[in-house]
Amino acid sequence: DGGITQSPKYLFRKEGQNVTLSCEQNLNHDAMYWYRQDPGQGLRLIYYSQIVNDFQKGDIAEGYSVSREKKESFPLTVTSAQKNPTAFYLCASSIVTAGTYTGELFFGEGSRLTVL
Amino acid sequence: EDQVTQSPEALRLQEGESSSLNCSYTVSGLRGLFWYRQDPGKGPEFLFTLYSAGEEKEKERLKATLTKKESFLHITAPKPEDSATYLCAVQSHNNAGNMLTFGGGTRLMVKP
């Protein structure tokens, strides 16, 4: 079955450590995204990518980094510079039509990061 | 700046008690309005896309409508399995990359 796989589902980190969240898709989608969700708040965009080796900052990119070396993979690193990293992280993908991102996103199951 | 406000934040219904969720938006040039359903601890699941005022979409007990300032998600005779958080998002023609702006969601609880 096609879909998006995120791992790990739960992750605990000590302050000062970098952690990397994995996101893999087999939908053959061009665009991939990382969102952050905090309780009672909407999803906020961290980074997005339309093609391999290219990505753009979203609204809250500070303290995060990404790479897009393969179409299927879009890992997110939460660095020690992120001041409040405890959150639910969601990876998504979508098709791109005529250079425009569609709003119909396919999401993974999410990764919950807790900083101790 | 695009803005999306959803109300109420939480809604408790008895099974069979119909109601509506509201999504008010401010956007410069609406490209599309999207509804998603999110179960606890899961990623959102796409429900509907609406493109222009007057448009309606239906799926089982859900119907989404759109005006120039807001969208409603009508739930007819809800069942406990409809319990979830419903998210609304807008996409504008004018923002860089046409990224979505999400509202805070409405948490719906349907009791048997």
Side-chain angles (χ1 to χ4, degrees), chain B residues 5-20:
Chain B
T5 303
Q6 292 187 246
S7 61
E9 290 187 8
L11 180 63
R12 292 174 182 266
L13 298 175
Q14 287 297 128
E15 184 172 1
E17 179 187 1
S18 301
S19 188
S20 296

Side-chain angles (χ1 to χ4, degrees), chain A residues 2-23:
Chain A
I4 298 182
T5 302
Q6 288 187 240
S7 63
K9 190 168 178 65
Y10 299 96
L11 184 61
F12 297 89
R13 186 194 97 175
K14 293 182 180 178
E15 284 192 20
Q17 288 181 336
N18 292 356
V19 293
T20 297
L21 308 181
S22 170
C23 178

Side-chain angles (χ1 to χ4, degrees), chain A residues 64-116:
Chain A
Y64 299 97
S65 66
V66 293
S67 63
R68 187 90 186 272
E69 297 177 1
K70 300 186 298 181
K71 185 176 181 178
E72 302 80 17
S73 179
F74 192 40
L76 173 74
T77 296
V78 184
T79 76
S80 56
Q82 168 50 232
K83 296 186 188 306
N84 184 21
T86 295
F88 189 50
Y89 291 89
L90 287 159
C91 180
S93 70
S94 74
I95 62 173
V96 178
T97 303
T100 301
Y101 299 83
T102 175
E104 297 176 20
L105 305 181
F106 290 77
F107 285 89
E109 296 275 275
S111 292
R112 188 169 299 279
L113 172 64
T114 302
V115 174
L116 304 173

Side-chain angles (χ1 to χ4, degrees), chain B residues 32-47:
Chain B
L33 184 140
F34 306 86
W35 282 98
Y36 287 83
R37 169 189 170 129
Q38 185 176 24
D39 292 307
K42 305 283 189 181
E45 177 185 349
F46 169 76
L47 292 173

